[in-house]
Amino acid sequence: MSSSAWFSPYDPSRRVGSVINVSPSEVKANLSDAGSGEAKWHLGDRIPAGEVNEFMFIDCGQTAVLGRLVHVWLDGAERLSVDAISMDNGLNNPIGIIQLLTSIDPASGAIFQGIKSHPRLGSQIYSAHPKLISTLAEGDSNDDEIKLDIAELPYDSTVNITVTPDKLFARHCAVLGATGGGKSYSISRLMQEVQQNGGKALLLDPTGEYADLDCETYYVGDHEKANSENSVIFPHWKLPESDIFAFLRPSAQTQSPKLSSAILSQRIVRRYYGKYGEIKVNENHILIKSNQKKEPVNKALNFIEKDLNSKRWCFKHLAEQIVQECVWPTGKKTGPYPPEIDESIWGAASDGELGYCMSLISRIKSYSENQHLKWLIDPPDGKDIPTLLDEFSTSRSNKRTLRLDLSAVPFEANGREILVNAIGRKLMDLARNGIINHHNPLLVFIDEAHQFLNKTIGDEASAIKLDSFGNIAKEGRKYGLNVVIATQRPRDIPEDVLSQIGSLIVHRLTNYHDQEVVKRAVGTMDQRSASFLPTLSQGEALLLGIDFPFPMTVKMKKPKIKPTSKSAEYSIAWKQEYKVIRSPIVDYLDIPNDLIHDFEALDIEYLSDEGSSGDMTYSYYFEIPSDTSEELQKAMGWSIGGFVRDIPEHVLDNQTTE
Ligand SMILES: Nc1ncnc2c1ncn2[C@@H]1O[C@H](COP(=O)(O)OP(=O)(O)OP(=O)(O)O)[C@@H](O)[C@H]1O
Ligand SMILES: [Mg+2]
């Protein structure tokens, strides 16, 4: 906190009452002005003097205690004193409960954690000046530190709440709230503040809401705005085997080993393309195993396992390769009956094993043909995400913000989860290798994080946990890799991830379980603070965290560039639909939209104008019917009984005419 901003909290004009009952975490107080029906004003400042959620200072001698008014009421006998406006207000004795938040030094504004000394009976209470609250909320910071201008006081928009990036992001940040609470707006605002202050950030945009943000964008999948310059792929062969397993979900007993060996066989085919030697490969690029020698294949396997350049394999051959993998483990020697076992060759095809693998094979075939998975499965050559992240995260990169638009990635086959998990893993690798570090930190923003975090794929026997962002939460901080996650389902965030999160921006939350999760995450949030959560309005949030001295309600500032909502806009869409069905005659006469209904309700008789000869139709005309509404007459300049002439023939092609 800059001490220059501090002034005495004990301003006599802001005095609102005195303490009458003290307990460890709250006090009861006489709040003389609370029953007057309206707030007080002093020198242009509004003093709420008894409104719930108002901050108050209690004079405790050496220290002051900052508290928040959470409940205010009148005793039974006095309750009628506020009933009628004509009655004299102010003659009542309202009582309030003030929740004690923290002790401060009244001279400097320095914060002591906890309550250093409790108020005494009769201690004086002062309504806190908004500027002091904003100074306290910012906590310790130097004047030369960067401050992000993210919020203002809900009841006084002239008072800004600024926060240093270190406080907000250094221990990860979560933006929580029910749908429509304002999470995406907050993410947008944070992102723009980061951008403005030269920070480096990657935004994973699962809905495409942030399309207008001024930053470099890459699209995954078949997006309408994607072109050869801005499309990125994540080739399947760059994923570890565990991700391929998560994607294909083989059964543990038979299918998993066959899938593994099929991938290895295909890597051999790719590596030794055209120079197979003793390895037998058919014209469809499938490695043949039945009755073939094992040794050449094993040698090749040894080689490719060590060779980093032999990672590629072709997905479209996988199904047929699995068929080839279904062979007996050993062959038989030729010679006298019964033949001896030959360990050096594989046996004949095993129909039993093939039967077990059929479900996997058909899944592979259907994914191979899925156009929406083209960014993953055998993608055409192009920029891939691991390379993009390599380039973006080096300190030499001059790109500061990057948006990955995932809106075209399908939900089917767990494509999204696997992709985001793989991105998380890649980022963690970059951090562990020192590319992302404390001098070159990276912030990763993920909206709608419940779609990706804490996902387990597959059944019990073959469950695969996608936990790379959990690892970032646990480990990323020590490398300078931090996440900002937004989700409407806090209960979906794993406990171990949540406990690593240092700051929270909590928008309106109505679900009890979600509120409990937030309470568990931050020790400073008690039941009293949580009770504000269901009542927050759009854009309002509770700002809390390890580095914030007390939980406080703020109004998040709107971003300059707003996210575009991706929910259906029924009114607009239906109105457009209405426009589309304007008939040619309505268009020709230029009937205003809101009068089309009036016009179409008329029983108009269109007559043909056949000139004097009478042998051809030149145009049509009609008489303005007697039931034409006044609005329509006025808008069109028509009068009943008048004629509308010279309507070209083509306009009435589909109308019944005389
Ligand atoms: N800081 C703000 N100030 C004023 N209005 C806001 C603010 N934040 C959000 N709103 C309003 O609330 C609406 C919903 O906000 P937003 O899209 O950010 O919600 P959300 O929490 O991301 O919802 P969802 O979970 O559906 O994605 C916005 O369209 C906007 O009108
Ligand atoms: Mg949103």
Side-chain angles (χ1 to χ4, degrees):
M1 166 189 31
S2 44
S3 51
S4 54
W6 189 255
F7 50 89
S8 169
Y10 306 144
D11 176 352
S13 60
R14 303 187 73 89
R15 199 190 87 83
V16 289
S18 55
V19 174
I20 55 168
N21 182 331
V22 185
S23 63
S25 61
E26 58 192 33
V27 299
K28 270 191 196 161
N30 273 333
L31 297 174
S32 331
D33 296 317
S36 66
E38 55 193 27
K40 293 202 298 184
W41 287 87
H42 177 68
L43 299 176
D45 282 336
R46 183 177 183 276
I47 305 176
E51 290 175 9
V52 166
N53 206 12
E54 178 182 358
F55 285 102
M56 295 179 165
F57 288 111
I58 307 169
D59 184 354
C60 305
Q62 296 280 313
T63 59
V65 171
L66 174 72
R68 181 193 348 238
L69 184 61
V70 289
H71 187 182
V72 58
W73 72 96
L74 281 173
D75 259 352
E78 289 179 333
R79 68 191 159 82
L80 292 177
S81 65
V82 285
D83 208 29
I85 28 173
S86 60
M87 275 195 196
D88 255 352
N89 286 331
L91 296 178
N92 47 28
N93 300 286
I95 301 172
I97 292 184
I98 300 169
Q99 175 197 7
L100 304 179
L101 297 171
T102 183
S103 282
I104 57 162
D105 177 351
S108 67
I111 295 171
F112 310 110
Q113 288 297 335
I115 307 298
K116 214 171 168 200
S117 61
H118 276 79
R120 292 172 58 82
L121 294 178
S123 293
Q124 298 297 298
I125 301 172
Y126 300 84
S127 176
H129 195 289
K131 293 229 161 59
L132 294 183
I133 292 302
S134 118
T135 316
L136 285 176
E138 284 163 18
D140 302 321
S141 64
N142 300 323
D143 285 341
D144 56 352
E145 270 182 282
I146 288 179
K147 303 224 173 77
L148 307 179
D149 181 19
I150 56 165
E152 59 201 26
L153 284 186
Y155 46 86
D156 189 342
S157 61
T158 60
V159 183
N160 293 333
I161 309 283
T162 61
V163 184
T164 65
D166 303 78
K167 268 196 189 140
L168 201 56
F169 301 130
R171 289 166 190 258
H172 311 295
C173 172
V175 181
L176 310 175
T179 175
K183 298 179 298 297
S184 300
Y185 267 51
S186 296
I187 289 277
S188 244
R189 178 80 196 193
L190 293 178
M191 185 83 191
Q192 284 164 43
E193 285 292 318
V194 169
Q195 222 171 5
Q196 219 169 40
N197 288 287
K200 196 167 187 173
L202 166 71
L203 170 65
L204 301 183
D205 181 359
T207 52
E209 271 180 280
Y210 302 94
D212 297 334
L213 220 62
D214 178 23
C215 65
E216 197 158 327
T217 293
Y218 287 90
Y219 297 91
V220 187
D222 192 13
H223 193 282
E224 58 189 24
K225 290 194 189 145
N227 57 37
S228 58
E229 297 289 301
N230 65 15
S231 291
V232 277
I233 53 175
F234 206 125
H236 63 273
W237 52 270
K238 289 211 168 184
L239 291 173
E241 193 175 81
S242 59
D243 282 10
I244 298 293
F245 273 48
F247 181 57
L248 294 174
R249 306 185 306 281
S251 71
Q253 296 85 359
T254 324
Q255 297 182 350
S256 291
K258 295 294 172 215
L259 178 58
S260 284
S261 59
I263 292 173
L264 286 172
S265 298
Q266 277 301 309
R267 279 174 61 190
I268 294 175
V269 170
R270 172 85 202 188
R271 176 66 184 79
Y272 293 96
Y273 186 77
K275 295 180 220 128
Y276 299 121
E278 283 190 273
I279 300 170
K280 192 170 174 203
V281 176
N282 74 10
E283 68 285 2
N284 293 333
H285 311 287
I286 311 297
L287 193 146
I288 307 293
K289 284 197 168 169
S290 64
N291 299 317
Q292 300 300 314
K293 277 195 207 150
K294 292 180 185 172
E295 199 208 336
V297 173
N298 287 343
K299 257 192 191 162
L301 276 182
N302 272 340
F303 179 77
I304 60 160
E305 296 226 306
K306 285 181 221 128
D307 181 22
L308 287 177
N309 295 321
S310 306
K311 295 257 177 255
R312 278 185 96 134
W313 53 277
C314 195
F315 195 96
K316 68 171 186 250
H317 298 152
L318 196 57
E320 260 193 80
Q321 184 65 53
I322 290 180
V323 175
Q324 274 305 319
E325 302 297 326
C326 294
V327 290
W328 292 99
T330 50
K332 288 169 191 157
K333 286 185 181 152
T334 45
Y337 190 83
E340 274 179 55
I341 287 175
D342 186 349
E343 295 274 359
S344 70
I345 59 170
W346 283 287
S350 157
D351 289 344
E353 286 192 334
L354 185 56
Y356 285 125
C357 287
M358 280 324 281
S359 61
L360 175 65
I361 290 172
S362 63
R363 202 173 303 139
I364 292 171
K365 283 189 176 156
S366 83
Y367 290 172
S368 309
E369 284 154 21
N370 188 332
Q371 286 304 312
H372 299 294
L373 294 170
K374 266 270 158 259
W375 53 271
L376 173 70
I377 295 177
D378 298 327
D381 276 345
K383 190 164 206 131
D384 64 51
I385 294 176
T387 313
L388 179 72
L389 294 178
D390 278 334
E391 289 168 8
F392 177 62
S393 54
T394 63
S395 51
R396 293 186 303 282
S397 160
N398 48 14
K399 285 182 212 149
R400 302 306 293 172
T401 41
L402 187 68
R403 183 176 77 95
L404 267 185
D405 190 313
L406 311 181
S407 56
V409 179
F411 284 89
E412 62 194 296
N414 301 310
R416 284 186 164 220
E417 293 91 329
I418 292 169
L419 172 62
V420 171
N421 192 56
I423 291 173
R425 188 185 311 107
K426 174 72 194 173
L427 291 170
M428 202 61 227
D429 282 348
L430 287 166
R432 287 189 183 127
N433 293 334
I435 316 281
I436 298 169
N437 55 52
H438 285 167
H439 302 289
N440 178 35
L442 178 67
L443 265 178
V444 186
F445 286 78
I446 319 176
D447 199 355
E448 311 279 344
H450 52 275
Q451 290 180 12
F452 314 112
L453 295 182
N454 197 25
K455 290 281 166 184
T456 306
I457 294 179
D459 51 26
E460 258 173 47
S462 56
I464 289 160
K465 205 160 185 298
L466 303 179
D467 55 0
S468 69
F469 274 92
N471 290 338
I472 294 184
K474 283 180 252 173
E475 220 185 312
R477 180 160 72 101
K478 64 177 189 246
Y479 302 111
L481 175 61
N482 289 103
V483 285
V484 181
I485 50 179
T487 173
Q488 47 178 275
R489 287 178 61 93
R491 72 205 110 122
D492 281 357
I493 306 181
E495 197 94 347
D496 51 343
V497 173
L498 203 63
S499 61
Q500 299 296 323
I501 287 175
S503 62
L504 288 113
I505 296 170
V506 190
H507 289 281
R508 191 169 61 83
L509 261 191
T510 43
N511 183 293
Y512 170 78
H513 297 291
D514 287 338
Q515 292 176 17
E516 285 300 304
V517 168
V518 178
K519 260 193 274 174
R520 276 206 304 278
V522 192
T524 50
M525 192 168 93
D526 47 35
Q527 191 54 44
R528 295 269 190 213
S529 305
S531 59
F532 287 100
L533 285 176
T535 62
L536 295 173
S537 69
Q538 278 185 332
E540 278 184 7
L542 208 60
L543 184 62
L544 33 93
I546 299 163
D547 286 330
F548 298 106
F550 52 92
M552 77 177 297
T553 323
V554 297
K555 168 98 179 154
M556 294 300 291
K557 289 202 175 172
K558 276 193 193 167
K560 289 186 191 87
I561 301 169
K562 299 185 179 64
T564 45
S565 164
K566 288 287 160 185
S567 45
E569 292 175 327
Y570 284 105
S571 317
I572 294 172
W574 288 359
K575 268 192 188 154
Q576 275 168 357
E577 195 80 352
Y578 191 44
K579 250 190 241 162
V580 172
I581 56 170
R582 281 169 69 99
S583 62
I585 179 73
V586 165
D587 256 350
Y588 172 75
L589 297 173
D590 203 13
I591 312 265
N593 271 349
D594 52 338
L595 294 171
I596 293 177
H597 187 71
D598 284 20
F599 176 74
E600 284 177 346
L602 299 174
D603 188 15
I604 293 178
E605 200 177 317
Y606 296 98
L607 302 161
S608 56
D609 180 355
E610 291 162 357
S612 48
S613 61
D615 50 8
M616 74 172 282
T617 302
Y618 290 100
S619 62
Y620 287 96
Y621 66 98
F622 66 86
E623 186 180 338
I624 297 164
S626 57
D627 54 347
T628 305
S629 71
E630 277 184 24
E631 288 91 346
L632 190 58
Q633 290 184 46
K634 206 167 149 201
M636 303 303 297
W638 292 346
S639 48
I640 290 167
F643 286 91
V644 176
R645 296 186 187 278
D646 297 329
I647 304 170
E649 219 179 343
H650 67 87
V651 172
L652 290 170
D653 272 355
N654 296 323
Q655 301 266 349
T656 43
T657 49
E658 290 283 308

